Amino acid sequence: MSTDAPGADRPSAAGDEFAIAAADLLRPFRPLLEPASAEPAPEPTRQLADSIGRAIDGFWPWVERTARASGKRVDELNRRAAPPNWVADGKAEVDYFAAVRLSLEQGVPLAWVPDPETVKLLLAAHGEDAAASLHAVLDDRREVILDHCDHRLDEVDRAPSGSPSVRVAREAVQALRLDLPSPAQSVATNLIDELLRTAFTIVYGGRHDQVKTLSRVQTLSERAHSAGLSFLASLGILRELATVMPLLHAMTPWWPESRTPAPTTFSRHVTSHFITAPGQVTRTNALVAVLTAVSLLSQEHDSRWGTWKIMNAL
């Protein structure tokens, strides 16, 4: 049997169809390697762009050969790879590149939450001060967003194992409804920490030290490519990647000794250790923190980070 993917037999007919859709699905990510702005990208963003680029480039020749051989397209892959709040009437309606780029640049979660209409409004926010436009959307739709968070938590709470984390997430949502941003942001930040430790334990066993999420993504991409993992299987990481994108901003560290201004975007480190730092606790940052926690919790419930686990096992 012929082989297009290194180390693997040519996929079945069904696999061919999914791979064809993958070619169109992933193509927009390639500009991540060449940012449109002349302004140098922050180092974490550049590192993650490189990681995503490695994953795409490693599989691209096989995907395009498969597409040319079959000449078919399947929208089902788009639907499967998309978080449910990117889907309407059975079709994924969100531009993957735009959503990922927004999360990378602004740290705003878009996977699983917020609601579909808010996602569209956030993606449509433009102007000289994009951050201010995004914050305006989040502020204007706060109650709608919190309602959607509660809906997502209802879905997660159907599994008994999710109940303790769901209870904590609900308390963070309720604190925001009561206009208590400090408790909401603090609770969500601690939950984010726990969810990340759980994710790393699921994937890597007991070894969840301080290795950056970015390095883990790159390692998994390279392992999948070298092992010849089927492209269809590897595409499962798209939803998980979309979920972790905002963590680039959320994990921004800062120390007073640096003599630089504290981050005014949501920072897990600043919230945990310097909660009174100017501009850190705000209604918008608290909402972003809650969205991040609910997004991670939803992804954990959906897949238990299964794609990363499979790739790591290779």
Side-chain angles (χ1 to χ4, degrees), residues 86 94-104 108 110 119 123:
W86 296 5
V94 167
D95 183 299
Y96 283 80
F97 169 66
V100 169
R101 192 58 174 262
L102 181 65
S103 290
L104 275 171
V108 178
L110 294 178
V119 170
L123 289 171

Side-chain angles (χ1 to χ4, degrees), residues 76-93:
E76 175 67 8
L77 178 63
N78 294 2
R79 188 188 66 78
R80 288 189 182 185
N85 61 325
W86 296 5
V87 176
D89 299 323
K91 295 182 180 180
E93 294 192 337

Side-chain angles (χ1 to χ4, degrees), residues 2-26:
S2 64
T3 177
D4 286 329
D9 289 340
R10 192 173 187 276
S12 64
D16 282 350
E17 293 177 353
F18 282 117
I20 293 150
D24 285 337
L25 179 67
L26 287 176

Side-chain angles (χ1 to χ4, degrees), residues 37-96:
S37 172
E39 191 75 17
E43 183 61 25
T45 302
R46 189 161 49 245
Q47 290 179 9
L48 185 55
D50 183 61
S51 297
I52 295 173
R54 286 172 183 265
I56 295 173
D57 289 336
F59 292 108
W60 203 261
W62 170 61
V63 172
E64 294 207 323
R65 284 196 298 270
T66 305
R68 286 195 299 269
S70 177
K72 297 179 181 178
R73 294 183 55 181
V74 177
D75 292 334
E76 175 67 8
L77 178 63
N78 294 2
R79 188 188 66 78
R80 288 189 182 185
N85 61 325
W86 296 5
V87 176
D89 299 323
K91 295 182 180 180
E93 294 192 337
V94 167
D95 183 299
Y96 283 80

Side-chain angles (χ1 to χ4, degrees), residues 222-237:
E222 291 172 345
R223 287 184 179 181
H225 176 44
S226 63
L229 184 67
S230 106
F231 199 86
L232 173 59
S234 73
L235 285 174
I237 205 170

